[in-house]
Amino acid sequence: MSLLTVQNVAAFYGPSQALFDVSLDVAEGEVIALMGRNGMGKSTTVKVICRMLGHSAGKVSFADQDIGALPSHKAARLGIGLVPEGRRCFANLSVHENLIAAARKGAWDFAAVCALFPRLEERRDQLAASLSGGEQQMLAIGRALMTNPKLLILDEATEGLAPVIRQEIWAAIAKLKAETGMAIIAIDKSLRELGQVADRAVILEKGRTVWSGGFSDLGPEETDRYLGV
């Protein structure tokens, strides 16, 4: 059963149309790779799903509810957790304060997040601004998990990080898939790492869904044409 359904969505930034015809769905426990070159509509699609941007056509449903009229905070309360591009941690709050800022009751509490990312326990009382980029990314993921989401959206969660930190984050994502059954949408440029966790892929080009299918069915023709690799 689909947890999230995006049907033929169009969206604008002012007079400029960014999405023309985007469709995707995510089942409970499924990991979807949302792919495409830069500027093709991936982050805009995430904003529509999270209700940070309205859509002018189409439909967005989550947990059997049309969420098109909801503000972003109510969509989050339904169970949509976002790890935004650029991390956006609260720089002047401690690690612990960042994690509890949006916490909701559930399996994911401070102890569970620190079990996934032990460095956060070590840095509990440090200000977020003092953390390395990789540690801030772990904090951003942990903060989203503390909302106890049904769907976790990772927008470029490993962008610009050192290889060893990238691997640590990918290992955490694989653990989330294997042990929690949480639905995940992952945006990333690494086909190899995505291929280790993603069940299906959806590719966007110029604000349209141009390909979707099993990740193992994504071949050289599609990657050359739509991803430029």
Side-chain angles (χ1 to χ4, degrees):
M1 183 179 72
S2 290
L3 176 65
L4 171 74
T5 302
V6 178
Q7 295 178 309
N8 308 114
V9 161
F12 287 76
Y13 291 109
S16 300
Q17 188 165 0
L19 301 182
F20 294 83
D21 186 15
V22 171
S23 295
L24 63 89
D25 63 274
V26 185
E28 294 181 5
E30 188 175 34
V31 179
I32 299 295
L34 183 58
M35 307 175 74
R37 296 185 183 93
N38 289 341
M40 293 299 171
K42 304 184 298 296
S43 291
T44 300
T45 299
V46 167
K47 289 179 181 179
V48 170
I49 292 169
C50 295
R51 308 316 304 152
M52 295 183 290
L53 179 68
H55 58 281
S56 59
K59 184 177 180 180
V60 182
S61 301
F62 183 77
D64 295 323
Q65 180 176 338
D66 185 340
I67 63 172
L70 292 184
S72 58
H73 68 279
K74 290 189 176 181
R77 287 175 185 169
L78 286 179
I80 301 175
L82 173 63
V83 181
E85 186 176 13
R87 301 160 197 150
R88 301 183 193 176
C89 300
F90 300 117
N92 294 324
L93 296 183
S94 70
V95 165
H96 183 254
E97 289 167 338
N98 265 273
L99 290 173
I100 64 172
R104 302 182 69 203
K105 289 184 179 180
W108 286 100
D109 55 15
F110 183 74
V113 168
C114 290
L116 184 66
F117 294 121
R119 294 187 193 201
L120 297 182
E121 172 64 36
E122 297 170 6
R123 311 263 191 291
R124 174 189 175 116
D125 296 320
Q126 285 186 223
L127 296 183
S130 72
L131 302 179
S132 69
E135 290 165 348
Q136 288 184 19
Q137 190 62 70
M138 295 173 191
L139 181 57
I141 294 171
R143 183 179 58 189
L145 290 173
M146 289 280 283
T147 69
N148 280 281
K150 299 174 183 175
L151 171 66
L152 181 67
I153 303 176
L154 301 158
D155 193 352
E156 301 283 7
T158 66
E159 181 74 15
L161 301 180
V164 65
I165 301 297
R166 286 173 56 88
Q167 291 307 311
E168 191 170 345
I169 289 175
W170 281 114
I173 295 169
K175 187 173 183 179
L176 289 175
K177 178 182 179 180
E179 298 182 6
T180 70
M182 185 183 298
I184 298 172
I185 295 176
I187 299 174
D188 203 274
K189 295 180 176 64
S190 177
L191 289 173
R192 183 172 66 86
E193 279 87 1
L194 282 172
Q196 294 172 0
V197 297
D199 300 300
R200 292 191 295 117
V202 175
I203 299 177
L204 304 185
E205 185 173 58
K206 297 180 180 178
R208 292 179 170 86
T209 299
V210 293
W211 191 91
S212 63
F215 200 94
S216 60
D217 297 325
L218 186 60
E221 180 179 348
E222 290 79 23
T223 56
D224 289 346
R225 181 176 181 182
Y226 298 122
L227 305 177
V229 297

